[in-house]
Amino acid sequence: MALILSAATGNFNAGATWVGGIVPGAADEARASTGHTVTITANVTCTELSNAGTGTYVLNSGVTLTANVTNKSATASVFCLTFSAASPATASIVGTCTGGTVNVALAVNNGSTGTLTITGNVTAGSGASAYAAYNGSTGSIVIIGNTLGGGAGNSVAAYNQSGGTITMTGNVTGGTNASAYAAQNQGSGTMLITGSVAAATASGVLNNTTGSVTITGNITASTAAGVTNASTGPITITGNITAAAAAGVSNASTGSVTITGSITASTAAGVTNSSTATLTISG
């Protein structure tokens, strides 16, 4: 695999954009160097897209990017790749997406109302708020693959900031920091998860908003609850709940939790519920 660095801001498929005039191919890692914005206007296949400094990529509508996307910048608050086309625009990434090692080192940002589909695992980075997939507006992100929280504060793999939707098909596992959730619903939007949800040091899923979370799959706790509802939004779970040192599900605020499935307690209760919240169990 060759590492090919950008030489200037420009189109990914233009030789002038890259050092030596060589457009990265299937066996190459393409790296956007500091100060450069590389725009992907047609389908691209390479081993990896990465960045340095303030280097970044823009993914256009209708494009499929077949590559792993990894934020390798040592500069805080830099996104590796942004998709910002308005609905009904769509784009796709076929490959893993991994956050970086410094604060707010996002791998992928959906900044508008379109739909971005990621077919591959999504893993938060080791920096604080180093999200792997960030839905910043009212658009949608679809993840077909496993989702894993990171190792620093708020290092969340799939973060739904506003009124949009994140749909996940795959296993969802919390990270090694107490606030490194695999999936966090932070705005008024919706999260739809099909797959098992497991805690580690962090819960697998946090609903911290008025939005809703629907999970079709089993929930397993660890030292943290498997799923935490910390605000007024509803959570619906179709699957079995297993507690450990922490509850399988923690309903800590006034939101509602509906569970269809069996509940197994351990050191902790299978489900804990705030006195002012609504809990419905049928299983």
Side-chain angles (χ1 to χ4, degrees):
M1 179 179 73
L3 172 62
I4 300 178
L5 307 177
S6 67
T9 289
N11 191 299
F12 187 100
N13 289 306
T17 303
W18 302 101
V19 171
I22 301 171
V23 175
D28 300 322
E29 176 183 350
R31 182 168 297 172
S33 299
T34 192
H36 298 162
T37 298
V38 178
T39 303
I40 304 170
T41 61
N43 293 349
V44 162
T45 297
C46 55
T47 299
E48 186 174 33
L49 256 63
S50 63
N51 58 334
T54 57
T56 190
Y57 296 88
V58 173
L59 184 65
N60 278 12
S61 175
V63 173
T64 295
L65 167 66
T66 302
N68 297 330
V69 179
T70 307
N71 194 318
K72 294 185 177 179
S73 175
T75 302
S77 302
V78 172
F79 304 167
C80 187
L81 181 146
T82 295
F83 173 67
S84 58
S87 180
T90 63
S92 297
I93 298 170
V94 180
T96 63
C97 296
T98 307
T101 60
V102 296
N103 294 353
V104 201
L106 273 63
V108 173
N109 169 45
N110 186 14
S112 189
T113 58
T115 298
L116 176 64
T117 298
I118 301 168
T119 303
N121 295 337
V122 171
T123 303
S126 59
S129 301
Y131 311 121
Y134 181 83
N135 202 28
S137 185
T138 57
S140 297
I141 293 179
V142 177
I143 299 169
I144 304 169
N146 298 328
T147 305
L148 179 64
N154 205 34
S155 185
V156 176
Y159 195 96
N160 202 25
Q161 172 63 43
S162 188
T165 299
I166 295 183
T167 302
M168 288 168 276
T169 301
N171 297 328
V172 176
T173 306
T176 57
N177 180 281
S179 60
Y181 311 102
Q184 181 169 338
N185 203 24
Q186 188 62 31
S188 59
T190 301
M191 276 191 164
L192 304 170
I193 300 170
T194 302
S196 65
V197 175
T201 307
S203 295
V205 175
L206 171 69
N207 194 30
N208 201 33
T209 175
T210 59
S212 65
V213 175
T214 299
I215 301 169
T216 304
N218 297 330
I219 313 298
T220 304
S222 180
T223 53
V227 173
T228 298
N229 198 19
S231 189
T232 59
I235 292 181
T236 302
I237 299 169
T238 303
N240 300 326
I241 313 296
T242 302
V249 175
S250 173
N251 194 21
S253 186
T254 58
S256 65
V257 172
T258 302
I259 299 170
T260 303
S262 66
I263 299 173
T264 303
S266 182
T267 308
V271 177
T272 58
N273 192 50
S274 167
S275 62
T276 57
T278 300
L279 174 63
T280 303
I281 301 172
S282 59

